[in-house]
Amino acid sequence: MDATFFERVYAVVRQIPYGKVTSYGAIAKAIGAGKSARMVGYAMNASHALEDVPAHRVVNRVGMLTGKHHFPGSNLMQQLLESEGIRVENNQIIDFQQHFWDPQKS
């Protein structure tokens, strides 16, 4: 794994505003690696030891909590999102586009 790639991913994730989410693919595009959404996922899996990376704000392209099984407990990712005012039902963010943050537009 490329530590530099991971650090570029984490730099974007640290910028996601409270109450917003973004996708693996949007992060990949923002760091100039548009076809590397899966690698962004690997970076997010490795980020849980880092307290300053809000990994719970990264979801798939349709707002599914695909990374939730990488969080401790059964529902921590959902609980963290809900604590920021984001509704989640059946592992899906409600009103995903309303909560979506595009790192390339910021």
Side-chain angles (χ1 to χ4, degrees):
M1 298 295 156
D2 179 352
T4 305
F5 180 90
F6 281 23
E7 281 305 318
R8 292 188 343 224
V9 168
Y10 301 152
V12 173
V13 175
R14 287 181 183 111
Q15 296 174 49
I16 304 169
Y18 181 93
K20 294 290 184 181
V21 294
T22 197
S23 67
Y24 304 103
I27 293 169
K29 287 178 189 156
I31 63 171
K35 303 255 187 240
S36 298
R38 186 172 303 254
M39 281 293 293
V40 171
Y42 294 145
M44 297 319 303
N45 293 346
S47 75
H48 295 290
L50 307 172
E51 291 183 17
D52 65 336
V53 177
H56 65 283
R57 296 181 186 150
V58 182
V59 296
N60 81 358
R61 63 187 169 85
V62 296
M64 292 291 293
L65 311 190
T66 51
K68 74 176 266 176
H69 57 281
H70 294 286
F71 285 80
S74 59
N75 249 356
L76 182 59
M77 183 177 187
Q78 179 172 336
Q79 290 168 348
L80 290 168
L81 289 168
E82 289 174 340
S83 75
E84 295 185 17
I86 297 173
R87 283 186 38 237
V88 178
E89 289 180 13
N90 298 319
N91 299 317
Q92 170 80 43
I93 292 177
I94 305 301
D95 300 322
F96 175 56
Q97 287 305 319
Q98 174 186 335
H99 297 288
F100 184 77
W101 176 75
D102 186 342
Q104 290 189 294
K105 293 182 180 172
S106 295

